[in-house]
């Protein structure tokens, strides 16, 4: 199957690249398309010459060009969903004409810009993958303080949560393991070579402009760990419409939780910056009900304290050449409360009242973007990361004091070539070095080289009076590791869109993805009970999804969508005893995960009210040969997940509610035990007003409003009802 996908992808790329390329000519119109409010570039805008067949689509940086324009007066029109159309008339002669457009936004909440789907900016309606984008406006309407809390309501995404803020909150997409989801921050991979997934609780919402989630295998563009999909955190922009902005916000909440945030952004000519500091602390001493009885206890050693400092600076030398610098420093200290389940040997809860953990993460990157020619744009990114983790437990049967320091630096190179109006090519290379220094391991190092190519073939036509647009995107990536076998990941995506105000999009994807064995898998030290396995192969998957989106644009907006997905995963790494009884990881397991995602979104005119309903039905079974568990449900995979989100905005007042229902989850491989289904209700009420030209806000939030006793992970309770009061000012 994989060889067939590779062959098809390569054949399509060769056919596309062999098509003739237009020669450059005089009579050219070029320029940029901007959002007049935010000054951000607008991708996928349609620019065309009236009464002709000439036209173009704006590139990811808003740049467009149209060649061979006839002389004389010509009217150029720009159209894109979410903005008022605009036309300009110019006189074409022998000189090239620059014509920029600044479009007035008309809020369309369901078609934001997304980068992660194709590694370049596109409107969400223009990509072939199933994806969600949480915009800055949507993030501000939620009850979230961290990125982990923000993504909980996304379709197809399930979070494993241990103890609120003090615990690890890691994502699973479409039933994949949490270490089979790649997480990026402004293009930087956050998954470490040591493994274990990414804790989304570490990233404050206050530093984010949006969160992008791609559902389905995505290794053809992002490389390892994208078996289930990808999550990208996009930091806030430095540019503001006023040239300067600042804000202060404080939150006071139940269980001794406090959050303080201050930010500032300013522009000086071609230089702009954004600075954000966030402090979050919580006692975490919530009351919970034990699974085996109705007894109520208070969670102890569950405190949390974190500081996040983020700086982003940008040099916009001109529209074609930009340089961006980012520095992110995150530190937290927390208690590790342990499991409330009973120890089968002692009969006492498996609590760890003196266990502590510390995290120290530092990241820096330099990103440059250059429009070299009309057809060629290049991007370069160099990044450096240090993730240090320390865990101590003096009460363990052998006292523990382990420190792990993961360091990584990498270089990403990317080039986008606009072959003609219908074909664009994106290709790139990635070099990365991971290094682990640990009190438990000998020093380990991994060098990774990656190459990828992607062709976007887009065509528009009018068929029997119906606007028709179709997209075909083959992509392929090759990764080579210094300590693991190399891997090739092909992918083919397609979509057909019919209509404008009433539109139907049919889309699908097929490809392969993988996860490279982690340092923990390969090199875990032999302590007489467990050991790593240096002969492990990557986990692999073949994935498919297909579905449709039906959308009605008008004074309001209605959208219906449905997708079927299937993921066959092989060579899963599972721990089993060897001949000497020592447990070690082996490539013996397999899984089959399939399901249907469906949703409806409706927004009233002016976005004064909206409702969003998402349902995921999923079947995830063990397919390991010669296993007594073959055919059983995989643990922690709910069959059903339903999210209902509603919002109303009247004047300065707004209110939002989120109801989440999740089915039961098995917690034993033989399906002998499970966690019950649950439902959670979260909401907020806010008031925004101006005081002496400064924007003020008061927000009252309630989480788990019905005060349900919920366990997302066996032995680790979630907090009960929680109230948060936030007061902020922002210019």
């Amino acid at each position: 199957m994989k060889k067939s996908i590779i062959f098809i992808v390569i054949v399509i790329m060769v056919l596309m690249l062999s098509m003739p390329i237009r020669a450059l000519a005089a009579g050219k119109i070029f320029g940029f398309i901007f959002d007049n409010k935010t000054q951000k570039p607008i991708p996928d805008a349609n620019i065309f010459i009236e009464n002709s067949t000439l036209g173009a689509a704006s590139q990811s940086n808003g740049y467009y060009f149209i060649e061979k324009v006839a002389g004389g007066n010509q009217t150029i029109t720009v159209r894109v969903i979410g903005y008022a159309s605009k036309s300009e008339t110019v006189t074409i002669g022998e000189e090239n004409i620059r014509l920029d457009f600044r479009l007035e936004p008309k809020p369309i909440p369901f078609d934001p810009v997304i980068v992660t789907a194709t590694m370049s900016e596109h409107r969400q309606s223009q990509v072939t993958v199933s994806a969600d984008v949480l915009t800055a406006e949507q993030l501000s309407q939620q009850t979230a303080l961290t990125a982990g809390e923000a993504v909980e309501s996304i379709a197809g995404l399930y979070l494993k949560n241990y103890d609120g803020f003090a615990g690890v909150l890691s994502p699973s997409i479409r039933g994949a393991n949490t270490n089979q989801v790649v997480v990026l921050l402004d293009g930087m991979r956050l998954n470490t070579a040591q493994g274990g997934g990414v804790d989304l609780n570490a990233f404050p919402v206050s530093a984010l402009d949006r969160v992008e989630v791609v559902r389905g295998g995505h290794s053809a563009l992002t490389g390892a760990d994208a078996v289930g999909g990808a999550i990208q955190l996009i930091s806030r922009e430095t540019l503001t419409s006023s040239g300067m902005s600042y804000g202060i916000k404080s939150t006071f909440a139940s269980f001794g939780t406090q959050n303080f945030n201050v930010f500032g952004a300013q522009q000086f000519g071609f230089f702009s910056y954004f600075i954000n500091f966030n402090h979050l602390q919580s006692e975490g001493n919530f009351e919970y009900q034990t699974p085996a009885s109705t007894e109520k206890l208070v969670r102890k050693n569950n405190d949390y304290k974190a500081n996040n400092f983020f700086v982003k600076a940008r040099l916009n030398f001109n529209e074609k050449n930009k340089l961006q610098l980012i520095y992110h420093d995150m530190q937290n200290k927390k208690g590790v409360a342990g499991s409330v389940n009973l120890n089968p040997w002692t009969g006492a809860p498996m609590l760890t009242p003196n266990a502590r953990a510390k995290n120290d993460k530092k990241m820096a990157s330099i990103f440059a973007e250059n429009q070299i020619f009309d057809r060629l744009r290049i991007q370069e990114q160099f990044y450096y990361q240090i993730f240090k983790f320390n865990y101590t437990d003096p009460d363990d049967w052998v006292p523990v004091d382990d420190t792990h320091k993961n360091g990584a630096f990498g270089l990403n190179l990317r080039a986008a070539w606009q072959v003609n109006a219908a074909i664009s090519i994106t290709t790139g290379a990635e070099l990365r070095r991971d290094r682990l220094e640990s009190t438990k391991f000998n020093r380990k190092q991994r060098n990774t080289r990656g190459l990828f190519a992607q062709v976007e073939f887009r065509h528009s036509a009018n068929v029997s009076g119906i606007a028709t647009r179709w997209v075909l995107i083959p992509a392929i990536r090759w990764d080579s590791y210094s300590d693991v076998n190399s891997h090739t990941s092909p992918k083919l995506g397609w979509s057909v869109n019919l209509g404008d105000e009433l539109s139907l999009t049919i889309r699908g994807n097929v490809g392969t993805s993988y996860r490279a064995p982690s340092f923990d898998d390969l090199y875990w030290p032999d302590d007489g009970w467990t050991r790593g396995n240096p002969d492990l192969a990557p986990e692999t998957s073949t994935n498919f999804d297909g579905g449709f989106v039906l959308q009605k644009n008008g004074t309001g907006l209605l959208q219906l969508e449905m997708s079927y997905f299937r993921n066959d995963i092989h060579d899963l790494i599972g721990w089993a005893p060897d001949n000497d009884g020592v447990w070690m990881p082996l490539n013996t397991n397999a899984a089959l995960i399939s399901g249907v995602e469906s949703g409806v979104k409706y927004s009233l005119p002016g976005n004064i009210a909206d409702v969003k309903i998402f349902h995921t039905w999923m079947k995830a079974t063990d397919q390991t040969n010669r296993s007594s568990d073959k055919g059983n449900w995989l643990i922690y995979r709910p069959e059903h997940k339903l999210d209902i989100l509603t919002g109303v905005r009247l004047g300065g007042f707004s209110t939002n509610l989120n109801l989440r229902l999740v089915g039961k989850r098995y917690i034993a491989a033989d399906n002998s035990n499970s966690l019950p289904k649950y439902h959670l209700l979260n909401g907020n009420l806010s008031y925004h007003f101006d005081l002496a030209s400064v924007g003020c806000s008061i927000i009252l939030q309630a989480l788990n409003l019905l005060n349900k006793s919920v366990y997302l992970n066996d032995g680790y309770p979630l907090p009960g009802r929680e109230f948060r009061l936030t007061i902020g000012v922002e210019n």
Side-chain angles (χ1 to χ4, degrees), residues 128-430:
T128 66
V129 299
S130 298
D132 276 288
V133 180
L134 295 176
T135 64
E137 181 180 6
Q138 290 170 327
L139 290 173
S140 67
Q141 294 171 1
Q142 292 188 345
T143 56
L145 293 178
T146 69
E149 291 185 341
V151 302
E152 287 181 322
S153 60
I154 288 180
L157 189 147
Y158 179 75
L159 294 171
K160 296 184 70 174
N161 194 336
Y162 299 82
D163 286 325
F165 295 121
V168 175
L169 199 157
S170 50
S172 168
I173 299 178
R174 287 182 171 174
N177 290 328
T178 56
N179 56 9
Q180 293 174 333
V181 176
V182 68
V183 181
L184 308 169
L185 173 65
D186 291 321
M188 292 183 289
R189 171 184 292 269
L190 301 180
N191 305 66
T192 68
Q194 188 179 0
V198 177
D199 180 13
L200 295 179
N201 260 349
F203 302 92
V205 165
S206 58
L208 301 178
D209 180 67
R210 66 184 188 273
V211 180
E212 301 178 356
V213 178
V214 172
R215 301 190 295 273
H218 210 48
S219 290
L221 292 182
T222 59
D225 306 323
V227 174
I231 298 175
Q232 177 146 216
L233 312 177
I234 309 292
S235 61
R236 286 182 61 170
E237 289 296 323
T238 59
L239 298 176
T240 65
S241 57
S242 63
M244 180 178 69
S245 64
Y246 57 86
I248 300 174
K249 187 177 292 185
S250 292
T251 299
F252 304 92
S254 308
F255 319 127
T257 299
Q258 299 179 35
N259 186 68
F260 173 76
N261 190 82
V262 59
F263 79 90
Q266 195 166 4
Q267 181 177 356
F268 301 95
F270 64 86
F271 172 76
S272 59
Y273 70 87
F274 168 73
I275 298 177
N276 186 84
F277 174 77
N278 182 272
H279 173 79
L280 174 62
Q281 68 180 49
S282 177
E283 294 298 325
N285 54 348
F286 57 85
E287 189 177 68
Y288 67 94
Q289 183 176 312
T290 59
S293 69
T294 58
E295 183 182 9
K296 299 244 181 128
L297 300 173
V298 174
R299 201 70 163 128
K300 297 181 179 179
N301 192 34
N302 197 43
D303 57 293
Y304 179 81
K305 183 178 293 186
N307 291 315
N308 279 267
F309 179 69
F310 180 83
V311 179
K312 183 177 184 178
R314 178 173 291 177
L315 298 170
N316 290 336
F317 301 108
N318 49 51
E319 293 91 343
K320 294 186 176 183
N321 300 283
K322 302 174 183 179
L323 183 68
Q324 178 178 282
L325 299 94
I326 288 177
Y327 176 73
H328 199 168
D329 190 325
M330 302 176 288
Q331 301 176 4
N332 65 57
K333 300 178 181 179
K334 57 186 180 180
V336 182
S339 172
V340 302
N341 287 343
L342 302 181
N343 188 310
W345 303 103
T346 65
M350 294 183 287
L351 302 176
T352 52
N354 296 304
R356 307 292 298 177
K358 298 178 183 178
N359 285 279
D360 187 353
K361 300 182 179 182
K362 293 180 172 59
M363 294 176 284
S365 77
I366 301 174
F367 175 82
E369 182 177 68
N370 309 97
Q371 186 83 37
I372 306 299
F373 307 112
D374 286 339
R375 301 180 185 276
L376 180 63
R377 178 171 53 90
I378 62 173
Q379 296 175 333
E380 315 91 29
Q381 182 184 42
F382 173 79
Y383 62 88
Y384 181 69
Q385 305 170 350
I386 296 178
F387 296 169
K388 186 178 179 180
F389 172 72
N390 172 254
Y391 173 75
T392 61
D393 184 3
D395 301 329
D396 205 345
W397 66 280
V398 175
V400 177
D401 188 356
D402 288 338
T403 299
H404 308 282
K405 182 179 178 182
N406 284 274
F409 64 88
L411 176 66
N412 291 328
L413 302 174
R414 194 172 299 137
W417 179 31
Q418 192 75 34
V419 179
N420 54 37
I423 302 174
S424 61
I425 302 169
T426 303
T427 185
E430 179 177 359

